[in-house]
Amino acid sequence: MIRFLQAWANFIGSLILILIFGFVAYGLWGLYQHVMQRVNLEKEVGQLREELKIQSEENKALRSKNQELMREVERLRLANRLLKVDTRLAILDVLRQEGSPTEQNLRTTVVFQEVDSTGRPIAPRHQFTIDGDVLYIDAWVAKFQDQFVELGDEFRGGSICLFRRLFGENQKPSEGLVLDLEGDSPGAYREGREVSEFEREIWANFWKLANDPAQAEKRGLRAVHGEAVYMKLVPGTRYRIQLRSSDGLTILPEGEVISIGERAG
């Protein structure tokens, strides 16, 4: 009987130990799972943070690219506008013609007036009589490299010119009417701002730069030369003289002569 009780006690003790071990093992397993879940969660959080960082960097790069594209669009818009802008404008009114071509005493009286894009006079009005009916407009023209036109450079955004003189086909150029002073910055480029040393240098050393391509290139110039346009004049006609930023001089008939005041209004 005593042995039976001892065996039963041993059994109960063993069962209790098994239960205790089971509870401990279960607790440890639960703790292990909790720890692993936490580790996995932290790993996922780390991955998400890394992905977020990468996404943030990509978004930053995209924003930077977008800003760059917007600047490029604005640059192209500006370049396109500059390519169409008439950087210097003038009107030429043919007032009258006297004499006869057959008697070789034909003379034509004209008025030259430089204006802005709205037609407002920006320089003194010149009246001049030429021999014959064909008028020459002599100019100095400096053309800048395309990159400055595209960038919309304030001064180098296109061709610039100095209106040198007017003369008739039966006259010597030296006998013509002087417009802009040689070597001086034209008034059209001085209006509303101070003339830079860079501009003064171009006009003061025009022919030196024209004959020294290397020095011209250093200043962003692709061509420096004299240029002349001429037109057979019709009495009572107004002509438009213009220099486009991407082109040279042109002269075109614009209609009948009207007063400058009426034109500006």
Side-chain angles (χ1 to χ4, degrees):
M1 183 68 178
I2 295 174
R3 290 182 179 179
F4 173 76
L5 290 175
Q6 288 178 343
W8 181 252
N10 291 336
F11 172 76
I12 296 299
S14 299
L15 182 59
I16 292 172
L17 288 174
I18 292 172
L19 289 174
I20 293 173
F21 179 78
F23 281 122
V24 171
Y26 179 79
L28 290 174
W29 174 251
L31 179 62
Y32 171 78
Q33 287 186 319
H34 177 73
V35 171
M36 291 306 297
Q37 287 178 350
R38 185 178 182 84
V39 170
N40 291 334
L41 182 60
E42 290 179 352
K43 184 178 181 181
E44 290 178 3
V45 170
Q47 290 176 342
L48 288 174
R49 286 177 177 170
E50 188 65 25
E51 291 176 2
L52 184 61
K53 181 180 178 181
I54 294 173
Q55 187 66 41
S56 177
E57 291 176 352
E58 289 178 351
N59 289 339
K60 183 178 179 181
L62 286 173
R63 286 195 297 270
S64 177
K65 185 65 175 179
N66 184 60
Q67 291 175 351
E68 183 180 340
L69 289 174
M70 290 300 296
R71 287 193 295 269
E72 178 69 8
V73 168
E74 289 303 315
R75 183 185 67 78
L76 291 174
R77 284 177 180 170
L78 178 59
N80 185 59
R81 180 178 62 81
L82 288 171
L83 289 171
K84 297 177 180 178
V85 170
D86 299 323
T87 54
R88 291 206 74 178
L89 297 170
I91 54 176
L92 183 79
D93 288 336
V94 183
L95 301 184
R96 59 183 176 273
Q97 283 184 342
E98 301 169 324
S100 168
T102 56
E103 297 180 9
Q104 298 184 346
N105 64 352
L106 181 63
R107 291 170 62 82
T108 304
T109 300
V110 300
V111 170
F112 178 93
Q113 174 70 71
E114 189 170 358
V115 298
D116 62 17
S117 59
T118 67
R120 180 179 63 89
I122 59 174
R125 181 174 180 266
H126 300 281
Q127 182 169 318
F128 186 59
T129 300
I130 64 170
D131 294 334
D133 60 356
V134 175
L135 175 76
Y136 284 78
I137 302 169
D138 178 23
W140 289 357
V141 178
K143 300 178 181 180
F144 290 97
Q145 296 167 5
D146 294 340
Q147 67 192 67
F148 296 108
V149 178
E150 293 171 356
L151 291 172
D153 188 279
E154 180 181 5
F155 183 68
R156 295 177 292 186
S159 302
I160 57 175
C161 82
L162 179 149
F163 287 132
R164 184 71 183 89
R165 57 197 164 193
L166 305 178
F167 57 92
E169 66 175 338
N170 297 323
Q171 294 172 292
K172 296 178 181 179
S174 59
E175 297 173 348
L177 171 68
V178 175
L179 298 172
D180 293 328
L181 295 178
E182 182 175 330
D184 192 15
S185 180
Y189 302 121
R190 297 197 303 267
E191 189 176 17
R193 66 181 181 85
E194 185 177 349
V195 180
S196 67
E197 189 62 33
F198 175 73
E199 297 170 59
R200 291 193 185 94
E201 183 187 9
I202 288 178
W203 300 121
N205 300 292
F206 185 84
W207 290 120
K208 288 182 180 179
L209 293 172
N211 286 283
D212 192 339
Q215 288 299 317
E217 185 177 1
K218 286 182 180 179
R219 291 160 178 79
L221 293 162
R222 65 180 174 84
V224 183
H225 54 74
E227 187 170 329
V229 293
Y230 59 96
M231 175 68 76
K232 186 177 180 67
L233 302 177
V234 176
T237 301
R238 166 165 287 183
Y239 295 89
R240 178 186 183 91
I241 303 159
Q242 63 189 32
L243 177 79
R244 283 190 179 273
S245 60
S246 60
D247 198 1
L249 281 173
T250 59
I251 179 169
L252 299 167
E254 195 173 64
E256 296 181 356
V257 171
I258 58 176
S259 70
I260 293 172
E262 181 182 348
R263 172 75 175 182

